[in-house]
Amino acid sequence: MGDKTIQILKDKKELILERWINKQKAEDNYFNADEQQQDSEELLDAFLSALDDHNIDDRNAREFDKVYEILMGISVSRAKRGFSPRETGVYLFSLKESLLETLAEGIGDPEKLYTDSLKVSKIIDNMTILTFEGYIKGREDVIARQTDEITEISTPVIRVWDGVVALPIIGTLDSSRTQVIMENLLVQIVETGSTIAILDISGVPAMDTLVAQHLIKTVSATRLLGAECIISGIRPEIAQIVVHLGIDLSNIITKSTLANALQTAFNMLQLEVNKKKGITPNN
């Protein structure tokens, strides 16, 4: 590609951008004029600035680093906003069409037009492949964020009484989730000055050696802060599995229901809750 061809593209930058934006509007039902105009202009500026006769055949040329960096940012952003790989690919293909249309109008020699068009297409095709990497990274970021949010939501520490906190556990326990549970529980024990923590495992679908180890670690960490831990929600099938696996929970207070665990906590705090005579729940 000669300097003349590159200069044609640079001189026609505004026309290329206009054509590209129009194609996006026609193909994208969720076209955001302000946002996509800015992204497209920034990418086109970087692409034309990097383009010269010495790097046109080298996709790894350092001049293209900024182009790839901008493109990766756009791809990740679009993936997080729900764009599919196909939609982002079409986004770049419309750029290629705009570039080739401009070259067709500016180059009269068919042979040169063919040669230079192939070189432009090769660069854009390589950029399109890069958008798939951006899509994967963007979706991984979304999944990681959602996993963190779900973990936070599923591990609430509740202050049920003065000196008593409860943590209902729902779902399977693994190492990373146990760490979150432990951190949340210990923070609440310190902040509330609680001396008793209830771990309710009614929502844990199954018990195995690994889950038991995670529970024991949480109990040990709680005791290091001077608080006693009660595990509630021990269903008959869970009790059978614990015995069958030979898991030793003998040094941990266990109860079948959260209500029983709360009553035990009251006894440990030397509290007594009595129903007043003549008072009905509706009153």
Side-chain angles (χ1 to χ4, degrees), residues 106-124:
I107 301 177
D109 182 355
E111 183 177 351
K112 181 171 179 55
L113 174 61
Y114 174 76
T115 302
D116 290 351
S117 295
L118 281 181
K119 292 181 179 181
V120 170
S121 296
K122 182 178 179 181
I123 296 176
I124 301 299

Side-chain angles (χ1 to χ4, degrees), residues 227-258:
E228 187 55 67
C229 197
I230 303 172
I231 297 179
S232 67
I234 304 291
R235 306 186 300 277
E237 59 270 25
I238 294 293
Q240 293 179 21
I241 294 174
V242 169
V243 172
H244 178 72
L245 294 175
I247 299 171
D248 184 14
L249 299 180
S250 59
N251 64 337
I252 301 175
I253 302 174
T254 58
K255 296 295 175 181
S256 59
T257 66
L258 181 59

